[in-house]
Amino acid sequence: MRILISADMEGATGVTWTDDVVPGTEQWQRFRRLFTGDVNAAVAGLHDAGASDVLVNEAHSSQRNLLLEDLDPRVRMLTGRHKPLSMMQGVDSGVDGVVFVGYHAGAGAEGVLSHTYLENQITGVWLDGVPASEGRLNAALAAEYGVPVLMVTGDDKTCDDARDYAPEAIGVAVKECVSRYAAICTPPQRTATALKLAAERAVARAGRVEPRRGPHRIEVEFDASHLAQATAVVPTVEQTGVRKVGFEAPDMTEAMKAFKVVTAIAAGAVQGIYG
């Protein structure tokens, strides 16, 4: 049994604000350990329940945050940026399920450090007309490869979101959202136990299912008009409003590739404190 873990950081145990997740800060160094601990707890549960191979795909920012030297020695870790499937690299390798560790709510939604790809320039993303977090986008990509989402961890708002896009997945809330930069946090000793037990239960649903392929439409709303103008130069991307663009793709893989291009151009078009 082979399992993929897509590991983001904003939803990790204890994380509540910018410095906790920005590479190079003192707080980031601290929370790398807690982030690695969350992944290890999930890995322990997966292996105890029969997983024979676990691939951990680093999915946060530089995608070089987990401490390899502290990871469970039974895993393999995919680290570094510029992966074709980004946060979901490895979902096309024949895995039997995927676990989302450290995830967060989407842009425009309530949740600790809520965003979708860009930290603050995107105010909303819609997949086929439905507000889309990174979790929803990645779950749709997993479905295209016949891979079920087994478990989702993050704050309580993340788990609420997951109940809509992956209703059979087990949710583990490691903190309770108070605001975008505040949460009631559970200590790592307790979250580790909760994550391990949930992962053990989640394995029962592992097993490839019928792939769901088909066309998709993604719409992106920015906080400034020039970002919509900049991204609308991409072929197939049309500006649909002052701050909004949209595009269609024949499948989710192509949709996510186009979405990556749109977000990369938008990030490059940001000008200092005026955005």
Side-chain angles (χ1 to χ4, degrees):
M1 187 189 306
R2 303 175 61 210
I3 306 296
L4 172 69
I5 293 179
S6 175
D8 205 355
M9 195 172 182
E10 287 89 356
T13 293
V15 167
T16 57
W17 77 308
T18 305
D19 279 11
D20 296 346
V21 296
V22 173
T25 68
E26 182 179 348
Q27 281 292 96
W28 171 71
Q29 291 288 7
R30 173 192 174 200
F31 280 97
R32 294 177 76 189
R33 295 192 295 273
L34 273 69
F35 180 32
T36 304
D38 281 7
V39 170
N40 279 340
V43 169
L46 295 172
H47 272 285
D48 285 357
S52 57
D53 178 71
V54 178
L55 173 64
V56 179
N57 178 20
E58 276 249 30
H60 173 69
S61 186
S62 64
Q63 299 177 6
R64 301 179 186 276
N65 306 278
L66 290 170
L67 297 169
L68 179 62
E69 60 272 29
D70 291 343
L71 273 179
D72 189 309
R74 294 172 292 185
V75 307
R76 296 176 297 133
M77 182 174 74
L78 172 57
T79 186
R81 297 185 63 194
H82 309 304
K83 302 170 246 184
L85 296 179
S86 191
M87 300 178 75
M88 292 296 286
Q89 189 67 35
V91 75
D92 57 345
S93 64
V95 294
D96 301 297
V98 61
V99 171
F100 295 164
V101 171
Y103 270 47
H104 50 82
E110 186 179 5
V112 177
L113 293 175
S114 58
H115 69 283
T116 305
Y117 269 61
L118 301 185
E119 291 83 355
N120 57 18
Q121 284 78 38
I122 292 177
T123 58
V125 176
W126 293 262
L127 175 63
D128 301 325
V130 178
S133 61
E134 293 170 10
R136 182 178 294 276
L137 294 172
N138 292 340
L141 186 57
E144 186 162 284
Y145 291 92
V147 177
V149 178
L150 306 178
M151 184 170 87
V152 180
T153 83
D155 69 0
D156 56 323
K157 303 300 183 183
T158 304
C159 295
D160 290 345
D161 180 43
R163 276 192 282 273
D164 188 53
Y165 68 75
E168 294 184 338
I170 296 176
V172 182
V174 300
K175 54 199 169 191
E176 181 183 339
C177 174
V178 173
S179 74
R180 193 162 191 245
Y181 301 117
I184 299 171
C185 298
T186 303
Q189 296 87 344
R190 288 169 55 195
T191 61
T193 299
L195 290 166
K196 180 179 182 295
L197 292 175
E200 289 178 6
R201 292 168 49 213
V203 169
R205 287 191 52 250
R208 296 178 63 77
V209 297
E210 186 69 24
R212 296 204 303 270
R213 294 189 175 92
H216 292 279
R217 179 174 177 81
I218 291 180
E219 296 170 283
V220 184
E221 183 181 70
F222 298 101
D223 65 354
S225 60
H226 72 286
L227 301 182
Q229 294 163 3
T231 55
V233 304
V234 178
T236 76
V237 176
E238 60 175 340
Q239 187 168 354
T240 59
V242 174
R243 295 180 292 108
K244 197 170 186 179
V245 298
F247 60 89
E248 297 179 355
D251 55 46
M252 197 61 196
T253 299
E254 294 302 310
M256 287 304 293
K257 289 179 179 178
F259 182 63
K260 283 178 61 180
V261 173
V262 166
T263 56
I265 290 177
V270 173
Q271 298 288 319
I273 63 172
Y274 282 89

